[in-house]
Amino acid sequence: MGSGGTDDVGAGWSTARGAGDVALLSEEITAARVTALRHAVAAAARSAGLVGDGLEDFVLAVHELVTNVVRHGGGSGEVRLWQHHDLLTCQVSDNGPGLGEIAVALPSPGEVGHRGLWLAQQLTEGLMIDNSGQGTTASVTAQLRPRSTVHEEG
């Protein structure tokens, strides 16, 4: 990764995945930044080529994970977004108390809240949760459609 003097948002990432990864966003999560983060994730995902319902679903899934950090994960954390070929991944992490044993399932209709992880799973290509260390890290992915090229047929 790059070092001082670059504008590469991925410079210095300890979670770099591989040579084919393109870092798109790395931001701190706080309660005051939730809305700004939603807009930043939307803009970065759009620039990577995610559009339409896929974009809206992905941004909502990330928003649910970010708000979980604020509500349940100690109030602060980090969001990272990167692209690897045709896959877009967003990782949201906190240093909160962790989730313990958790089943990602739709709660009963009478239960208030507790739908964020289920929504994130339903709205994306996949949800992965790691709470093996301090805090929790949740990652969601979206499949990017190949950028279409216009072919004139005669």
Side-chain angles (χ1 to χ4, degrees), residues 125-136:
E125 299 290 327
L127 167 69
M128 291 178 40
I129 300 171
D130 178 7
N131 60 350
S132 59
Q134 166 113 15
T136 302

Side-chain angles (χ1 to χ4, degrees), residues 9-42:
V9 294
W13 275 16
S14 61
T15 57
R17 301 295 188 236
D21 291 356
V22 177
L24 302 173
L25 181 72
S26 179
E27 298 282 339
E28 183 181 349
I29 298 169
T30 65
R33 301 208 61 230
V34 169
T35 301
L37 287 173
R38 185 177 180 137
H39 293 296
V41 167

Side-chain angles (χ1 to χ4, degrees), residues 41-62:
V41 167
R46 189 178 303 110
S47 74
L50 198 57
V51 296
D53 290 343
L55 174 64
E56 291 178 24
D57 290 350
F58 186 76
V59 171
L60 179 55
V62 172

Side-chain angles (χ1 to χ4, degrees), residues 60-133:
L60 179 55
V62 172
H63 179 75
E64 289 295 328
L65 297 177
V66 167
T67 57
N68 277 352
V69 167
V70 172
R71 290 182 182 155
H72 310 292
S76 65
E78 191 169 12
V79 60
R80 293 183 174 133
L81 181 68
W82 68 90
Q83 179 180 351
H84 183 81
H85 302 293
D86 62 350
L87 194 64
L88 190 63
T89 301
C90 189
Q91 180 183 72
V92 176
S93 58
D94 66 53
N95 292 314
L99 294 171
E101 290 295 318
I102 185 159
V104 178
L106 182 62
S108 64
E111 189 173 344
V112 176
H114 303 287
R115 287 167 175 75
L117 293 176
W118 181 82
L119 276 171
Q121 183 179 53
Q122 298 300 308
L123 294 171
T124 62
E125 299 290 327
L127 167 69
M128 291 178 40
I129 300 171
D130 178 7
N131 60 350
S132 59

